[in-house]
Amino acid sequence: MAPLVALVTGAGSGIGRSIAIELAGSGWLVYATMREPCGRNHAGAQALPPQVRVLELDVRDDASAAACVRRVLAEAGRIDVLVNNAGIMFQGVSEAYDMDQARDVMETNFFSVVRMNRLVLPGMRKQRSGALVHITSIAGSVVFPYAGLYSASKMATEGLAQSYRHELRAFGIDSLVLQPCPYPTGLLDSQQTPRDAACLAEYGDPAHIAGERIAATRAWHATGKAPHPAEVARVLRGLLDTPCGERPFRTVAGAMDFGVRRLNTQRAETEDGVARAFGAT
């Protein structure tokens, strides 16, 4: 029997790399994608098991995304799971980020998901099976101050995934959200300082809060006491081992959830009620 096929974005480090390793170890045929696998992500690509197939992908680029999906389909013949993991995170005074920076966050964290889903869904609908996995964050349910753009992008992704959940059910396709708690990943490496310096100056001392939080997070990572991203990968494997249609829509991975699990339970009741009212169940 042919192995199930997974396409994982942002697999050069952190959660994406852990997911690629976990699924490959479970017998999946895994395509781990990243920008510049022969350049800046060379070390990350080399750290993957030899059975994992590494492909170059810029999720923000239409041509790159289309070429990547064509390659997977040409080699494997199908895609059973798309793991939308690629992302960036800016922390700082929200008003002081300029429009180009705001677009960068939304293009990477949200529009890339729209792009990748649209590319894989025709094949999934034809085979009448599959799963879209959206790696968001607990920041997709609660907003952390000074991470407004990041939370906005994750909430937008969860809204899209929620609608897909209902729209794709008839095709045997699951749309899932996996919300990691804080883990040591490469997200901090994507950090940018707000470019509107004049605006930033008007906020005074509070403008330094984000920088202090980033420094504290880096120090926490350096202690070696932070949980390993492999925990998230194991949670995802458990979800994928569950039959289609029986998987929860939102799943939190990690202990430091700030009450998001409780919030998600309450949200599910409301969201299911809305779906019933619109005849989408």
Side-chain angles (χ1 to χ4, degrees), residues 117 132 134 155-169 173-177 249-250 271 275 280:
N117 286 351
L132 304 176
H134 307 86
M155 289 179 173
T157 298
E158 293 198 7
L160 178 70
Q162 176 86 27
S163 192
Y164 270 137
R165 177 191 180 205
H166 304 299
E167 296 167 19
L168 298 173
R169 184 180 289 116
I173 301 169
D174 264 343
S175 176
L176 310 173
V177 164
F249 172 59
R250 285 188 187 85
E271 290 165 348

mmCIF file with all atom_site columns, all heavy atoms in Angstrom, residues 117 132 134 155-169 173-177 249-250 271 275 280:
data_model
loop_
_atom_site.group_PDB
_atom_site.id
_atom_site.type_symbol
_atom_site.label_atom_id
_atom_site.label_alt_id
_atom_site.label_comp_id
_atom_site.label_asym_id
_atom_site.label_entity_id
_atom_site.label_seq_id
_atom_site.pdbx_PDB_ins_code
_atom_site.Cartn_x
_atom_site.Cartn_y
_atom_site.Cartn_z
_atom_site.occupancy
_atom_site.B_iso_or_equiv
_atom_site.pdbx_formal_charge
_atom_site.auth_seq_id
_atom_site.auth_comp_id
_atom_site.auth_asym_id
_atom_site.auth_atom_id
_atom_site.pdbx_PDB_model_num
ATOM 1   N N   . ASN A 1 117 ? -3.878  26.340 -0.132 1.00 0.00 ? 117 ASN A N   1
ATOM 2   C CA  . ASN A 1 117 ? -5.126  25.568 -0.097 1.00 0.00 ? 117 ASN A CA  1
ATOM 3   C C   . ASN A 1 117 ? -5.758  25.468 -1.477 1.00 0.00 ? 117 ASN A C   1
ATOM 4   O O   . ASN A 1 117 ? -6.237  24.407 -1.890 1.00 0.00 ? 117 ASN A O   1
ATOM 5   C CB  . ASN A 1 117 ? -6.113  26.193 0.885  1.00 0.00 ? 117 ASN A CB  1
ATOM 6   C CG  . ASN A 1 117 ? -5.745  25.949 2.339  1.00 0.00 ? 117 ASN A CG  1
ATOM 7   O OD1 . ASN A 1 117 ? -4.841  25.173 2.643  1.00 0.00 ? 117 ASN A OD1 1
ATOM 8   N ND2 . ASN A 1 117 ? -6.445  26.618 3.246  1.00 0.00 ? 117 ASN A ND2 1
ATOM 9   N N   . LEU A 1 132 ? -6.581  19.663 5.451  1.00 0.00 ? 132 LEU A N   1
ATOM 10  C CA  . LEU A 1 132 ? -5.861  20.929 5.515  1.00 0.00 ? 132 LEU A CA  1
ATOM 11  C C   . LEU A 1 132 ? -5.566  21.196 6.984  1.00 0.00 ? 132 LEU A C   1
ATOM 12  O O   . LEU A 1 132 ? -6.487  21.300 7.794  1.00 0.00 ? 132 LEU A O   1
ATOM 13  C CB  . LEU A 1 132 ? -6.704  22.072 4.956  1.00 0.00 ? 132 LEU A CB  1
ATOM 14  C CG  . LEU A 1 132 ? -7.246  21.930 3.531  1.00 0.00 ? 132 LEU A CG  1
ATOM 15  C CD1 . LEU A 1 132 ? -8.150  23.122 3.207  1.00 0.00 ? 132 LEU A CD1 1
ATOM 16  C CD2 . LEU A 1 132 ? -6.118  21.814 2.522  1.00 0.00 ? 132 LEU A CD2 1
ATOM 17  N N   . HIS A 1 134 ? -3.901  23.813 9.616  1.00 0.00 ? 134 HIS A N   1
ATOM 18  C CA  . HIS A 1 134 ? -3.474  25.205 9.755  1.00 0.00 ? 134 HIS A CA  1
ATOM 19  C C   . HIS A 1 134 ? -2.777  25.358 11.103 1.00 0.00 ? 134 HIS A C   1
ATOM 20  O O   . HIS A 1 134 ? -3.433  25.294 12.149 1.00 0.00 ? 134 HIS A O   1
ATOM 21  C CB  . HIS A 1 134 ? -4.679  26.139 9.653  1.00 0.00 ? 134 HIS A CB  1
ATOM 22  C CG  . HIS A 1 134 ? -5.501  25.918 8.418  1.00 0.00 ? 134 HIS A CG  1
ATOM 23  N ND1 . HIS A 1 134 ? -6.512  24.963 8.366  1.00 0.00 ? 134 HIS A ND1 1
ATOM 24  C CD2 . HIS A 1 134 ? -5.453  26.499 7.194  1.00 0.00 ? 134 HIS A CD2 1
ATOM 25  C CE1 . HIS A 1 134 ? -7.050  24.984 7.161  1.00 0.00 ? 134 HIS A CE1 1
ATOM 26  N NE2 . HIS A 1 134 ? -6.439  25.899 6.436  1.00 0.00 ? 134 HIS A NE2 1
ATOM 27  N N   . MET A 1 155 ? -5.915  34.957 13.450 1.00 0.00 ? 155 MET A N   1
ATOM 28  C CA  . MET A 1 155 ? -7.375  34.940 13.544 1.00 0.00 ? 155 MET A CA  1
ATOM 29  C C   . MET A 1 155 ? -8.013  34.882 12.160 1.00 0.00 ? 155 MET A C   1
ATOM 30  O O   . MET A 1 155 ? -9.032  34.205 11.961 1.00 0.00 ? 155 MET A O   1
ATOM 31  C CB  . MET A 1 155 ? -7.854  36.168 14.325 1.00 0.00 ? 155 MET A CB  1
ATOM 32  C CG  . MET A 1 155 ? -7.523  36.092 15.801 1.00 0.00 ? 155 MET A CG  1
ATOM 33  S SD  . MET A 1 155 ? -8.072  37.557 16.714 1.00 0.00 ? 155 MET A SD  1
ATOM 34  C CE  . MET A 1 155 ? -7.714  37.052 18.404 1.00 0.00 ? 155 MET A CE  1
ATOM 35  N N   . ALA A 1 156 ? -7.419  35.578 11.199 1.00 0.00 ? 156 ALA A N   1
ATOM 36  C CA  . ALA A 1 156 ? -7.932  35.510 9.831  1.00 0.00 ? 156 ALA A CA  1
ATOM 37  C C   . ALA A 1 156 ? -7.810  34.090 9.291  1.00 0.00 ? 156 ALA A C   1
ATOM 38  O O   . ALA A 1 156 ? -8.733  33.571 8.643  1.00 0.00 ? 156 ALA A O   1
ATOM 39  C CB  . ALA A 1 156 ? -7.161  36.487 8.938  1.00 0.00 ? 156 ALA A CB  1
ATOM 40  N N   . THR A 1 157 ? -6.685  33.445 9.554  1.00 0.00 ? 157 THR A N   1
ATOM 41  C CA  . THR A 1 157 ? -6.485  32.067 9.095  1.00 0.00 ? 157 THR A CA  1
ATOM 42  C C   . THR A 1 157 ? -7.500  31.131 9.731  1.00 0.00 ? 157 THR A C   1
ATOM 43  O O   . THR A 1 157 ? -8.062  30.250 9.058  1.00 0.00 ? 157 THR A O   1
ATOM 44  C CB  . THR A 1 157 ? -5.058  31.598 9.427  1.00 0.00 ? 157 THR A CB  1
ATOM 45  O OG1 . THR A 1 157 ? -4.127  32.425 8.730  1.00 0.00 ? 157 THR A OG1 1
ATOM 46  C CG2 . THR A 1 157 ? -4.842  30.161 9.019  1.00 0.00 ? 157 THR A CG2 1
ATOM 47  N N   . GLU A 1 158 ? -7.774  31.311 11.010 1.00 0.00 ? 158 GLU A N   1
ATOM 48  C CA  . GLU A 1 158 ? -8.741  30.444 11.681 1.00 0.00 ? 158 GLU A CA  1
ATOM 49  C C   . GLU A 1 158 ? -10.155 30.665 11.140 1.00 0.00 ? 158 GLU A C   1
ATOM 50  O O   . GLU A 1 158 ? -10.946 29.718 11.033 1.00 0.00 ? 158 GLU A O   1
ATOM 51  C CB  . GLU A 1 158 ? -8.684  30.649 13.195 1.00 0.00 ? 158 GLU A CB  1
ATOM 52  C CG  . GLU A 1 158 ? -7.364  30.168 13.785 1.00 0.00 ? 158 GLU A CG  1
ATOM 53  C CD  . GLU A 1 158 ? -7.419  29.951 15.292 1.00 0.00 ? 158 GLU A CD  1
ATOM 54  O OE1 . GLU A 1 158 ? -8.520  30.037 15.871 1.00 0.00 ? 158 GLU A OE1 1
ATOM 55  O OE2 . GLU A 1 158 ? -6.356  29.676 15.876 1.00 0.00 ? 158 GLU A OE2 1
ATOM 56  N N   . GLY A 1 159 ? -10.475 31.900 10.790 1.00 0.00 ? 159 GLY A N   1
ATOM 57  C CA  . GLY A 1 159 ? -11.792 32.151 10.199 1.00 0.00 ? 159 GLY A CA  1
ATOM 58  C C   . GLY A 1 159 ? -11.943 31.434 8.868  1.00 0.00 ? 159 GLY A C   1
ATOM 59  O O   . GLY A 1 159 ? -12.986 30.829 8.576  1.00 0.00 ? 159 GLY A O   1
ATOM 60  N N   . LEU A 1 160 ? -10.897 31.494 8.042  1.00 0.00 ? 160 LEU A N   1
ATOM 61  C CA  . LEU A 1 160 ? -10.917 30.790 6.761  1.00 0.00 ? 160 LEU A CA  1
ATOM 62  C C   . LEU A 1 160 ? -11.038 29.282 6.979  1.00 0.00 ? 160 LEU A C   1
ATOM 63  O O   . LEU A 1 160 ? -11.844 28.611 6.328  1.00 0.00 ? 160 LEU A O   1
ATOM 64  C CB  . LEU A 1 160 ? -9.636  31.106 5.990  1.00 0.00 ? 160 LEU A CB  1
ATOM 65  C CG  . LEU A 1 160 ? -9.475  30.403 4.649  1.00 0.00 ? 160 LEU A CG  1
ATOM 66  C CD1 . LEU A 1 160 ? -10.456 30.952 3.632  1.00 0.00 ? 160 LEU A CD1 1
ATOM 67  C CD2 . LEU A 1 160 ? -8.035  30.566 4.144  1.00 0.00 ? 160 LEU A CD2 1
ATOM 68  N N   . ALA A 1 161 ? -10.235 28.765 7.915  1.00 0.00 ? 161 ALA A N   1
ATOM 69  C CA  . ALA A 1 161 ? -10.251 27.323 8.183  1.00 0.00 ? 161 ALA A CA  1
ATOM 70  C C   . ALA A 1 161 ? -11.611 26.867 8.684  1.00 0.00 ? 161 ALA A C   1
ATOM 71  O O   . ALA A 1 161 ? -12.070 25.768 8.365  1.00 0.00 ? 161 ALA A O   1
ATOM 72  C CB  . ALA A 1 161 ? -9.164  26.979 9.206  1.00 0.00 ? 161 ALA A CB  1
ATOM 73  N N   . GLN A 1 162 ? -12.266 27.705 9.477  1.00 0.00 ? 162 GLN A N   1
ATOM 74  C CA  . GLN A 1 162 ? -13.588 27.368 10.004 1.00 0.00 ? 162 GLN A CA  1
ATOM 75  C C   . GLN A 1 162 ? -14.601 27.235 8.874  1.00 0.00 ? 162 GLN A C   1
ATOM 76  O O   . GLN A 1 162 ? -15.413 26.302 8.842  1.00 0.00 ? 162 GLN A O   1
ATOM 77  C CB  . GLN A 1 162 ? -14.044 28.451 10.985 1.00 0.00 ? 162 GLN A CB  1
ATOM 78  C CG  . GLN A 1 162 ? -15.455 28.262 11.524 1.00 0.00 ? 162 GLN A CG  1
ATOM 79  C CD  . GLN A 1 162 ? -15.482 27.360 12.736 1.00 0.00 ? 162 GLN A CD  1
ATOM 80  O OE1 . GLN A 1 162 ? -14.519 27.253 13.461 1.00 0.00 ? 162 GLN A OE1 1
ATOM 81  N NE2 . GLN A 1 162 ? -16.613 26.723 12.978 1.00 0.00 ? 162 GLN A NE2 1
ATOM 82  N N   . SER A 1 163 ? -14.543 28.146 7.917  1.00 0.00 ? 163 SER A N   1
ATOM 83  C CA  . SER A 1 163 ? -15.476 28.060 6.797  1.00 0.00 ? 163 SER A CA  1
ATOM 84  C C   . SER A 1 163 ? -15.175 26.841 5.933  1.00 0.00 ? 163 SER A C   1
ATOM 85  O O   . SER A 1 163 ? -16.080 26.130 5.487  1.00 0.00 ? 163 SER A O   1
ATOM 86  C CB  . SER A 1 163 ? -15.410 29.344 5.965  1.00 0.00 ? 163 SER A CB  1
ATOM 87  O OG  . SER A 1 163 ? -16.478 29.405 5.043  1.00 0.00 ? 163 SER A OG  1
ATOM 88  N N   . TYR A 1 164 ? -13.887 26.593 5.683  1.00 0.00 ? 164 TYR A N   1
ATOM 89  C CA  . TYR A 1 164 ? -13.502 25.398 4.932  1.00 0.00 ? 164 TYR A CA  1
ATOM 90  C C   . TYR A 1 164 ? -14.024 24.129 5.611  1.00 0.00 ? 164 TYR A C   1
ATOM 91  O O   . TYR A 1 164 ? -14.400 23.165 4.932  1.00 0.00 ? 164 TYR A O   1
ATOM 92  C CB  . TYR A 1 164 ? -11.975 25.298 4.844  1.00 0.00 ? 164 TYR A CB  1
ATOM 93  C CG  . TYR A 1 164 ? -11.351 25.980 3.661  1.00 0.00 ? 164 TYR A CG  1
ATOM 94  C CD1 . TYR A 1 164 ? -10.186 26.740 3.814  1.00 0.00 ? 164 TYR A CD1 1
ATOM 95  C CD2 . TYR A 1 164 ? -11.882 25.846 2.377  1.00 0.00 ? 164 TYR A CD2 1
ATOM 96  C CE1 . TYR A 1 164 ? -9.584  27.351 2.733  1.00 0.00 ? 164 TYR A CE1 1
ATOM 97  C CE2 . TYR A 1 164 ? -11.283 26.464 1.294  1.00 0.00 ? 164 TYR A CE2 1
ATOM 98  C CZ  . TYR A 1 164 ? -10.128 27.215 1.475  1.00 0.00 ? 164 TYR A CZ  1
ATOM 99  O OH  . TYR A 1 164 ? -9.533  27.819 0.405  1.00 0.00 ? 164 TYR A OH  1
ATOM 100 N N   . ARG A 1 165 ? -14.014 24.132 6.932  1.00 0.00 ? 165 ARG A N   1
ATOM 101 C CA  . ARG A 1 165 ? -14.460 22.943 7.672  1.00 0.00 ? 165 ARG A CA  1
ATOM 102 C C   . ARG A 1 165 ? -15.851 22.508 7.209  1.00 0.00 ? 165 ARG A C   1
ATOM 103 O O   . ARG A 1 165 ? -16.115 21.322 7.006  1.00 0.00 ? 165 ARG A O   1
ATOM 104 C CB  . ARG A 1 165 ? -14.461 23.252 9.169  1.00 0.00 ? 165 ARG A CB  1
ATOM 105 C CG  . ARG A 1 165 ? -14.980 22.119 10.049 1.00 0.00 ? 165 ARG A CG  1
ATOM 106 C CD  . ARG A 1 165 ? -15.197 22.615 11.464 1.00 0.00 ? 165 ARG A CD  1
ATOM 107 N NE  . ARG A 1 165 ? -15.689 21.560 12.343 1.00 0.00 ? 165 ARG A NE  1
ATOM 108 C CZ  . ARG A 1 165 ? -16.391 21.770 13.440 1.00 0.00 ? 165 ARG A CZ  1
ATOM 109 N NH1 . ARG A 1 165 ? -16.698 23.013 13.792 1.00 0.00 ? 165 ARG A NH1 1
ATOM 110 N NH2 . ARG A 1 165 ? -16.794 20.772 14.188 1.00 0.00 ? 165 ARG A NH2 1
ATOM 111 N N   . HIS A 1 166 ? -16.745 23.484 7.054  1.00 0.00 ? 166 HIS A N   1
ATOM 112 C CA  . HIS A 1 166 ? -18.111 23.175 6.638  1.00 0.00 ? 166 HIS A CA  1
ATOM 113 C C   . HIS A 1 166 ? -18.204 22.929 5.131  1.00 0.00 ? 166 HIS A C   1
ATOM 114 O O   . HIS A 1 166 ? -18.897 22.021 4.685  1.00 0.00 ? 166 HIS A O   1
ATOM 115 C CB  . HIS A 1 166 ? -19.048 24.305 7.046  1.00 0.00 ? 166 HIS A CB  1
ATOM 116 C CG  . HIS A 1 166 ? -19.021 24.606 8.511  1.00 0.00 ? 166 HIS A CG  1
ATOM 117 N ND1 . HIS A 1 166 ? -19.376 23.676 9.461  1.00 0.00 ? 166 HIS A ND1 1
ATOM 118 C CD2 . HIS A 1 166 ? -18.653 25.730 9.191  1.00 0.00 ? 166 HIS A CD2 1
ATOM 119 C CE1 . HIS A 1 166 ? -19.242 24.211 10.671 1.00 0.00 ? 166 HIS A CE1 1
ATOM 120 N NE2 . HIS A 1 166 ? -18.813 25.445 10.529 1.00 0.00 ? 166 HIS A NE2 1
ATOM 121 N N   . GLU A 1 167 ? -17.503 23.731 4.358  1.00 0.00 ? 167 GLU A N   1
ATOM 122 C CA  . GLU A 1 167 ? -17.632 23.667 2.903  1.00 0.00 ? 167 GLU A CA  1
ATOM 123 C C   . GLU A 1 167 ? -17.045 22.383 2.317  1.00 0.00 ? 167 GLU A C   1
ATOM 124 O O   . GLU A 1 167 ? -17.493 21.915 1.262  1.00 0.00 ? 167 GLU A O   1
ATOM 125 C CB  . GLU A 1 167 ? -16.949 24.886 2.283  1.00 0.00 ? 167 GLU A CB  1
ATOM 126 C CG  . GLU A 1 167 ? -17.600 26.210 2.661  1.00 0.00 ? 167 GLU A CG  1
ATOM 127 C CD  . GLU A 1 167 ? -16.735 27.409 2.293  1.00 0.00 ? 167 GLU A CD  1
ATOM 128 O OE1 . GLU A 1 167 ? -15.825 27.249 1.447  1.00 0.00 ? 167 GLU A OE1 1
ATOM 129 O OE2 . GLU A 1 167 ? -16.952 28.499 2.856  1.00 0.00 ? 167 GLU A OE2 1
ATOM 130 N N   . LEU A 1 168 ? -16.046 21.815 2.987  1.00 0.00 ? 168 LEU A N   1
ATOM 131 C CA  . LEU A 1 168 ? -15.329 20.663 2.430  1.00 0.00 ? 168 LEU A CA  1
ATOM 132 C C   . LEU A 1 168 ? -15.792 19.326 2.996  1.00 0.00 ? 168 LEU A C   1
ATOM 133 O O   . LEU A 1 168 ? -15.332 18.272 2.546  1.00 0.00 ? 168 LEU A O   1
ATOM 134 C CB  . LEU A 1 168 ? -13.827 20.821 2.672  1.00 0.00 ? 168 LEU A CB  1
ATOM 135 C CG  . LEU A 1 168 ? -13.178 22.034 2.001  1.00 0.00 ? 168 LEU A CG  1
ATOM 136 C CD1 . LEU A 1 168 ? -11.733 22.167 2.458  1.00 0.00 ? 168 LEU A CD1 1
ATOM 137 C CD2 . LEU A 1 168 ? -13.253 21.913 0.484  1.00 0.00 ? 168 LEU A CD2 1
ATOM 138 N N   . ARG A 1 169 ? -16.678 19.359 3.968  1.00 0.00 ? 169 ARG A N   1
ATOM 139 C CA  . ARG A 1 169 ? -17.097 18.119 4.626  1.00 0.00 ? 169 ARG A CA  1
ATOM 140 C C   . ARG A 1 169 ? -17.658 17.106 3.625  1.00 0.00 ? 169 ARG A C   1
ATOM 141 O O   . ARG A 1 169 ? -17.386 15.908 3.715  1.00 0.00 ? 169 ARG A O   1
ATOM 142 C CB  . ARG A 1 169 ? -18.131 18.438 5.714  1.00 0.00 ? 169 ARG A CB  1
ATOM 143 C CG  . ARG A 1 169 ? -18.563 17.223 6.523  1.00 0.00 ? 169 ARG A CG  1
ATOM 144 C CD  . ARG A 1 169 ? -19.574 17.587 7.579  1.00 0.00 ? 169 ARG A CD  1
ATOM 145 N NE  . ARG A 1 169 ? -18.982 18.352 8.667  1.00 0.00 ? 169 ARG A NE  1
ATOM 146 C CZ  . ARG A 1 169 ? -19.313 19.605 8.968  1.00 0.00 ? 169 ARG A CZ  1
ATOM 147 N NH1 . ARG A 1 169 ? -20.227 20.242 8.252  1.00 0.00 ? 169 ARG A NH1 1
ATOM 148 N NH2 . ARG A 1 169 ? -18.739 20.227 9.971  1.00 0.00 ? 169 ARG A NH2 1
ATOM 149 N N   . ILE A 1 173 ? -13.033 15.901 3.242  1.00 0.00 ? 173 ILE A N   1
ATOM 150 C CA  . ILE A 1 173 ? -11.811 16.660 3.555  1.00 0.00 ? 173 ILE A CA  1
ATOM 151 C C   . ILE A 1 173 ? -11.994 17.369 4.884  1.00 0.00 ? 173 ILE A C   1
ATOM 152 O O   . ILE A 1 173 ? -12.987 18.065 5.103  1.00 0.00 ? 173 ILE A O   1
ATOM 153 C CB  . ILE A 1 173 ? -11.509 17.693 2.451  1.00 0.00 ? 173 ILE A CB  1
ATOM 154 C CG1 . ILE A 1 173 ? -11.332 16.992 1.100  1.00 0.00 ? 173 ILE A CG1 1
ATOM 155 C CG2 . ILE A 1 173 ? -10.260 18.502 2.796  1.00 0.00 ? 173 ILE A CG2 1
ATOM 156 C CD1 . ILE A 1 173 ? -11.300 17.947 -0.071 1.00 0.00 ? 173 ILE A CD1 1
ATOM 157 N N   . ASP A 1 174 ? -11.030 17.203 5.772  1.00 0.00 ? 174 ASP A N   1
ATOM 158 C CA  . ASP A 1 174 ? -11.036 17.893 7.060  1.00 0.00 ? 174 ASP A CA  1
ATOM 159 C C   . ASP A 1 174 ? -10.246 19.192 6.975  1.00 0.00 ? 174 ASP A C   1
ATOM 160 O O   . ASP A 1 174 ? -9.195  19.253 6.309  1.00 0.00 ? 174 ASP A O   1
ATOM 161 C CB  . ASP A 1 174 ? -10.403 17.019 8.146  1.00 0.00 ? 174 ASP A CB  1
ATOM 162 C CG  . ASP A 1 174 ? -11.426 16.244 8.956  1.00 0.00 ? 174 ASP A CG  1
ATOM 163 O OD1 . ASP A 1 174 ? -12.622 16.601 8.914  1.00 0.00 ? 174 ASP A OD1 1
ATOM 164 O OD2 . ASP A 1 174 ? -11.043 15.268 9.629  1.00 0.00 ? 174 ASP A OD2 1
ATOM 165 N N   . SER A 1 175 ? -10.729 20.222 7.641  1.00 0.00 ? 175 SER A N   1
ATOM 166 C CA  . SER A 1 175 ? -9.992  21.467 7.844  1.00 0.00 ? 175 SER A CA  1
ATOM 167 C C   . SER A 1 175 ? -9.772  21.614 9.343  1.00 0.00 ? 175 SER A C   1
ATOM 168 O O   . SER A 1 175 ? -10.735 21.675 10.112 1.00 0.00 ? 175 SER A O   1
ATOM 169 C CB  . SER A 1 175 ? -10.772 22.660 7.288  1.00 0.00 ? 175 SER A CB  1
ATOM 170 O OG  . SER A 1 175 ? -10.108 23.884 7.570  1.00 0.00 ? 175 SER A OG  1
ATOM 171 N N   . LEU A 1 176 ? -8.505  21.648 9.748  1.00 0.00 ? 176 LEU A N   1
ATOM 172 C CA  . LEU A 1 176 ? -8.158  21.613 11.160 1.00 0.00 ? 176 LEU A CA  1
ATOM 173 C C   . LEU A 1 176 ? -7.275  22.799 11.533 1.00 0.00 ? 176 LEU A C   1
ATOM 174 O O   . LEU A 1 176 ? -6.508  23.297 10.700 1.00 0.00 ? 176 LEU A O   1
ATOM 175 C CB  . LEU A 1 176 ? -7.393  20.323 11.497 1.00 0.00 ? 176 LEU A CB  1
ATOM 176 C CG  . LEU A 1 176 ? -8.003  19.001 11.021 1.00 0.00 ? 176 LEU A CG  1
ATOM 177 C CD1 . LEU A 1 176 ? -7.039  17.863 11.277 1.00 0.00 ? 176 LEU A CD1 1
ATOM 178 C CD2 . LEU A 1 176 ? -9.334  18.761 11.715 1.00 0.00 ? 176 LEU A CD2 1
ATOM 179 N N   . VAL A 1 177 ? -7.377  23.211 12.784 1.00 0.00 ? 177 VAL A N   1
ATOM 180 C CA  . VAL A 1 177 ? -6.513  24.244 13.346 1.00 0.00 ? 177 VAL A CA  1
ATOM 181 C C   . VAL A 1 177 ? -5.744  23.649 14.518 1.00 0.00 ? 177 VAL A C   1
ATOM 182 O O   . VAL A 1 177 ? -6.342  23.051 15.419 1.00 0.00 ? 177 VAL A O   1
ATOM 183 C CB  . VAL A 1 177 ? -7.335  25.458 13.816 1.00 0.00 ? 177 VAL A CB  1
ATOM 184 C CG1 . VAL A 1 177 ? -6.514  26.355 14.740 1.00 0.00 ? 177 VAL A CG1 1
ATOM 185 C CG2 . VAL A 1 177 ? -7.840  26.258 12.626 1.00 0.00 ? 177 VAL A CG2 1
ATOM 186 N N   . PHE A 1 249 ? -12.022 20.497 15.609 1.00 0.00 ? 249 PHE A N   1
ATOM 187 C CA  . PHE A 1 249 ? -11.598 21.572 14.717 1.00 0.00 ? 249 PHE A CA  1
ATOM 188 C C   . PHE A 1 249 ? -10.353 22.265 15.256 1.00 0.00 ? 249 PHE A C   1
ATOM 189 O O   . PHE A 1 249 ? -9.363  22.425 14.545 1.00 0.00 ? 249 PHE A O   1
ATOM 190 C CB  . PHE A 1 249 ? -12.726 22.581 14.523 1.00 0.00 ? 249 PHE A CB  1
ATOM 191 C CG  . PHE A 1 249 ? -12.299 23.814 13.768 1.00 0.00 ? 249 PHE A CG  1
ATOM 192 C CD1 . PHE A 1 249 ? -11.792 23.722 12.488 1.00 0.00 ? 249 PHE A CD1 1
ATOM 193 C CD2 . PHE A 1 249 ? -12.402 25.078 14.358 1.00 0.00 ? 249 PHE A CD2 1
ATOM 194 C CE1 . PHE A 1 249 ? -11.378 24.857 11.795 1.00 0.00 ? 249 PHE A CE1 1
ATOM 195 C CE2 . PHE A 1 249 ? -12.010 26.210 13.671 1.00 0.00 ? 249 PHE A CE2 1
ATOM 196 C CZ  . PHE A 1 249 ? -11.496 26.100 12.397 1.00 0.00 ? 249 PHE A CZ  1
ATOM 197 N N   . ARG A 1 250 ? -10.401 22.699 16.512 1.00 0.00 ? 250 ARG A N   1
ATOM 198 C CA  . ARG A 1 250 ? -9.244  23.356 17.141 1.00 0.00 ? 250 ARG A CA  1
ATOM 199 C C   . ARG A 1 250 ? -8.602  22.431 18.172 1.00 0.00 ? 250 ARG A C   1
ATOM 200 O O   . ARG A 1 250 ? -9.291  21.828 18.988 1.00 0.00 ? 250 ARG A O   1
ATOM 201 C CB  . ARG A 1 250 ? -9.646  24.651 17.855 1.00 0.00 ? 250 ARG A CB  1
ATOM 202 C CG  . ARG A 1 250 ? -9.932  25.832 16.961 1.00 0.00 ? 250 ARG A CG  1
ATOM 203 C CD  . ARG A 1 250 ? -10.127 27.096 17.797 1.00 0.00 ? 250 ARG A CD  1
ATOM 204 N NE  . ARG A 1 250 ? -10.562 28.203 16.966 1.00 0.00 ? 250 ARG A NE  1
ATOM 205 C CZ  . ARG A 1 250 ? -11.825 28.446 16.633 1.00 0.00 ? 250 ARG A CZ  1
ATOM 206 N NH1 . ARG A 1 250 ? -12.785 27.651 17.094 1.00 0.00 ? 250 ARG A NH1 1
ATOM 207 N NH2 . ARG A 1 250 ? -12.133 29.475 15.879 1.00 0.00 ? 250 ARG A NH2 1
ATOM 208 N N   . GLU A 1 271 ? -20.066 28.326 17.618 1.00 0.00 ? 271 GLU A N   1
ATOM 209 C CA  . GLU A 1 271 ? -19.801 28.123 16.198 1.00 0.00 ? 271 GLU A CA  1
ATOM 210 C C   . GLU A 1 271 ? -20.649 26.982 15.630 1.00 0.00 ? 271 GLU A C   1
ATOM 211 O O   . GLU A 1 271 ? -21.152 27.072 14.501 1.00 0.00 ? 271 GLU A O   1
ATOM 212 C CB  . GLU A 1 271 ? -18.309 27.846 15.996 1.00 0.00 ? 271 GLU A CB  1
ATOM 213 C CG  . GLU A 1 271 ? -17.448 29.080 16.239 1.00 0.00 ? 271 GLU A CG  1
ATOM 214 C CD  . GLU A 1 271 ? -15.976 28.775 16.406 1.00 0.00 ? 271 GLU A CD  1
ATOM 215 O OE1 . GLU A 1 271 ? -15.619 27.584 16.569 1.00 0.00 ? 271 GLU A OE1 1
ATOM 216 O OE2 . GLU A 1 271 ? -15.173 29.727 16.383 1.00 0.00 ? 271 GLU A OE2 1
ATOM 217 N N   . ALA A 1 275 ? -23.463 27.171 12.624 1.00 0.00 ? 275 ALA A N   1
ATOM 218 C CA  . ALA A 1 275 ? -23.457 26.245 11.485 1.00 0.00 ? 275 ALA A CA  1
ATOM 219 C C   . ALA A 1 275 ? -24.809 25.561 11.318 1.00 0.00 ? 275 ALA A C   1
ATOM 220 O O   . ALA A 1 275 ? -25.315 25.428 10.187 1.00 0.00 ? 275 ALA A O   1
ATOM 221 C CB  . ALA A 1 275 ? -22.349 25.200 11.664 1.00 0.00 ? 275 ALA A CB  1
ATOM 222 N N   . ALA A 1 280 ? -25.318 24.139 7.723  1.00 0.00 ? 280 ALA A N   1
ATOM 223 C CA  . ALA A 1 280 ? -23.986 23.717 7.253  1.00 0.00 ? 280 ALA A CA  1
ATOM 224 C C   . ALA A 1 280 ? -23.445 22.530 8.029  1.00 0.00 ? 280 ALA A C   1
ATOM 225 O O   . ALA A 1 280 ? -22.247 22.251 7.951  1.00 0.00 ? 280 ALA A O   1
ATOM 226 C CB  . ALA A 1 280 ? -23.008 24.897 7.366  1.00 0.00 ? 280 ALA A CB  1
#
